Amino acid sequence: MYNIIIYLIQVGIAIASHFSKKVGKMWKGERDSFRILREKMEPGARYVWFHAASLGEFEQGRPLMETFRKLHPEYKILLTFFSPSGYEVRKDYKGADIICYMPIDTIGNARKFLRTVRPVMAFFIKYEFWYNYLHVLKHRNIPTYSVSSIFRPNQIFFRWYGRRYGKVLNCFTRFFVQNEESKRLLATLGIEAVDVVGDTRFDRVLQIKEAAKQLPIVDAFVGGTADKRSTKVFVAGSSWLPDEEIFIPYFNKHKDWKLIIAPHVIGEEHIRQIQQLLGRKAVRYTQATEALAKEADCLIIDCFGLLSSIYHYGDIAYVGGGFGVGIHNVLEAAVWDMPVLFGPNNTRFNEAQGLKAACGGFDFADRAGFEKAILPLRTDETYRATCGKKAGKFVEGMTGATRTIMASIQA
């Protein structure tokens, strides 16, 4: 049944590639994978394979890849993606020797791929459970690890109708899971090779913090530097329109704070919607000079790659997505010792739940809830600083997964 579904998905991708630019890139990328491998693989080299579905999983796996390369330069690294949102952004990543799409999970593709690469070990990040690839890896006795994985009772593996597919989990040499619940669930399937190590994303945000950039335009906007500014700043990261319809009217009224908005979707229509909501003087980052930024009340970040550094300029952060499919990365904000606000769709995100429990994160369901949550943070500087310290301490206390994983593998 699984293979029938995969073939149907393959046909669907082929058809959709004629109508969707994104799907078209994926379809072409998958067909180019074997050519890329033939051209770039070095004879006699030993490859370690890391697979990440998309950009988020890549960021989780990145600390492990970079640590592995540092400790074991004798190996080459192959990095594969399934989604264009990962491959197109990171196809030039210098931490891997070969980067390509992973061909879809047919038996033929799995055999051909692994016959070509012959990896000495493989790492699948978070939710990657490709039946045919994993079975061929096991058949070839290649050590295979699941990293930063997390399991919940409603997943197919733990339902009566999914037990047959659930046998794919037996193909892993070891699981490095995020929490005790995941370990308990795997034990119900007889899987004991499990270590609870936490989430490598915590290690990654510390790396990002250390690599933060100084941004002269933002310096001018905040009236100083990230560490010493003359005004209070509210930073909204990865925001969507439902988020902006809540926090922008609030800061139209409370003009003693400046506002930085880094929307998740950067397009002219969305920028126009933000500008229409704003009742204060705003400037777009790509159009700003230091003089213009100094006079503005709101800075709209209309380019990619700056958000993790921009959080450093904030006193309170808002992370978007909580009124849609789920919140975005709250850790990039919390690592800067800053309280973080987010919408109601956060229950599936362990990092958000941890921030809430630590009193460094606050959620809300509507505009009234937002105003109630932000009032003491905006008006009480001692309370704001205390909550920010708790947020930063929570992130720092959850680091170390990469080190634990590497120690286990080397042992």
Side-chain angles (χ1 to χ4, degrees):
M1 179 62 72
Y2 176 84
N3 287 316
I4 293 173
I5 293 171
I6 287 294
Y7 281 115
L8 290 173
I9 291 173
Q10 190 173 35
V11 171
I13 291 172
I15 295 171
S17 67
H18 296 287
F19 305 98
S20 167
K21 187 176 180 180
K22 181 178 179 179
V23 177
K25 287 181 179 179
M26 182 170 69
W27 178 240
K28 183 180 183 301
E30 287 183 6
R31 289 182 297 165
D32 282 346
S33 294
F34 290 111
R35 176 188 58 78
I36 292 172
L37 292 172
R38 287 194 303 269
E39 291 176 356
K40 294 191 174 183
M41 286 198 65
E42 297 182 18
R46 293 183 296 170
Y47 284 87
V48 177
W49 175 25
F50 287 85
H51 176 66
S54 190
L55 187 59
E57 289 78 10
F58 164 79
E59 291 296 334
Q60 280 182 293
R62 183 170 178 172
L64 186 60
M65 273 186 282
E66 293 179 355
T67 302
F68 200 102
R69 180 181 280 281
K70 182 178 179 180
L71 296 177
H72 296 284
E74 68 273 22
Y75 293 106
K76 301 288 185 180
I77 290 180
L78 166 67
L79 170 63
T80 60
F81 290 97
F82 184 74
S83 167
S85 61
Y87 177 81
E88 295 299 329
V89 175
R90 294 301 182 191
K91 59 186 176 183
D92 297 319
Y93 170 60
K94 302 303 181 185
D97 299 283
I98 303 175
I99 303 174
C100 64
Y101 282 90
M102 186 180 82
I104 198 165
D105 189 30
T106 64
I107 295 173
N109 280 343
R111 288 173 176 167
K112 183 178 179 181
F113 183 90
L114 291 164
R115 189 168 56 243
T116 302
V117 177
R118 299 183 182 276
V120 296
M121 65 182 70
F123 295 87
F124 287 74
I125 312 301
K126 202 173 182 180
Y127 293 132
E128 292 300 278
F129 307 107
W130 297 102
Y131 190 90
N132 291 311
Y133 279 96
L134 288 167
H135 275 87
V136 177
L137 283 164
K138 184 178 181 181
H139 178 73
R140 290 174 171 266
N141 294 316
I142 298 169
T144 303
Y145 304 98
S146 178
V147 176
S148 289
S149 44
I150 187 166
F151 295 91
R152 299 181 178 87
N154 61 353
Q155 287 174 300
I156 188 172
F157 314 113
F158 311 107
R159 300 296 183 92
W160 64 266
Y161 54 80
R163 288 302 173 99
R164 185 173 180 181
Y165 173 68
K167 291 180 180 179
V168 70
L169 300 179
N170 292 308
C171 295
F172 285 99
T173 306
R174 197 159 199 86
F175 289 85
F176 298 103
V177 299
Q178 293 189 31
N179 57 25
E180 290 289 345
E181 172 71 357
S182 297
K183 183 176 182 177
R184 186 191 66 77
L185 287 168
L186 289 170
T188 66
L189 301 181
I191 297 172
E192 302 292 341
V194 183
D195 290 329
V196 180
V197 301
D199 191 344
T200 50
R201 279 183 301 173
F202 289 90
D203 300 329
R204 176 60 185 147
V205 294
L206 283 185
Q207 289 181 337
I208 292 170
K209 180 180 180 180
E210 290 168 3
K213 307 168 187 174
Q214 184 177 352
L215 304 169
I217 294 293
V218 188
D219 287 341
F221 176 75
V222 302
T225 64
D227 294 310
K228 191 174 182 180
R229 46 196 179 273
S230 62
T231 186
K232 296 301 179 185
V233 182
F234 180 86
V235 178
S238 300
S239 62
W240 296 78
L241 186 60
D243 303 301
E244 293 144 7
E245 289 174 335
I246 287 178
F247 67 76
I248 289 178
Y250 182 85
F251 283 99
N252 283 341
K253 292 185 295 183
H254 299 283
K255 297 183 178 182
D256 53 328
W257 281 58
K258 287 197 170 187
L259 180 59
I260 300 178
I261 305 174
H264 185 74
V265 176
I266 298 174
E268 291 304 314
E269 175 61 20
H270 190 192
I271 299 295
R272 184 185 61 78
Q273 291 171 328
I274 292 171
Q275 291 172 326
Q276 287 179 339
L277 285 170
L278 283 165
R280 304 172 66 183
K281 188 174 182 179
V283 64
R284 293 170 61 159
Y285 184 88
T286 59
Q287 298 173 359
T289 62
E290 291 184 31
L292 287 173
K294 192 177 295 185
E295 297 301 318
D297 293 318
C298 178
L299 184 63
I300 302 171
I301 310 302
D302 56 347
C303 56
F304 292 107
L306 300 181
L307 179 56
S308 56
S309 295
I310 282 172
Y311 278 130
H312 189 190
Y313 290 87
D315 295 280
I316 301 174
Y318 181 112
V319 176
F323 290 93
V325 296
I327 56 171
H328 296 291
N329 192 342
V330 296
L331 301 179
E332 284 189 353
V335 74
W336 290 108
D337 293 344
M338 180 166 49
V340 185
L341 295 159
F342 41 84
N345 192 354
N346 63 73
T347 55
R348 295 182 295 107
F349 300 84
N350 285 355
E351 63 276 19
Q353 300 305 304
L355 272 176
K356 286 166 59 179
C359 298
F362 306 87
D363 65 351
F364 54 89
D366 51 29
R367 185 175 295 183
F370 171 78
E371 294 186 1
K372 182 179 179 181
I374 198 172
L375 179 61
L377 294 172
R378 186 180 64 82
T379 57
D380 187 334
E381 190 165 341
T382 301
Y383 176 69
R384 181 173 66 249
T386 299
C387 293
K389 292 288 185 184
K390 289 178 178 179
K393 189 175 180 180
F394 165 73
V395 176
E396 185 178 352
M398 296 296 287
T399 59
T402 301
R403 182 175 60 251
T404 304
I405 293 167
M406 284 303 304
S408 177
I409 293 166
Q410 290 176 313

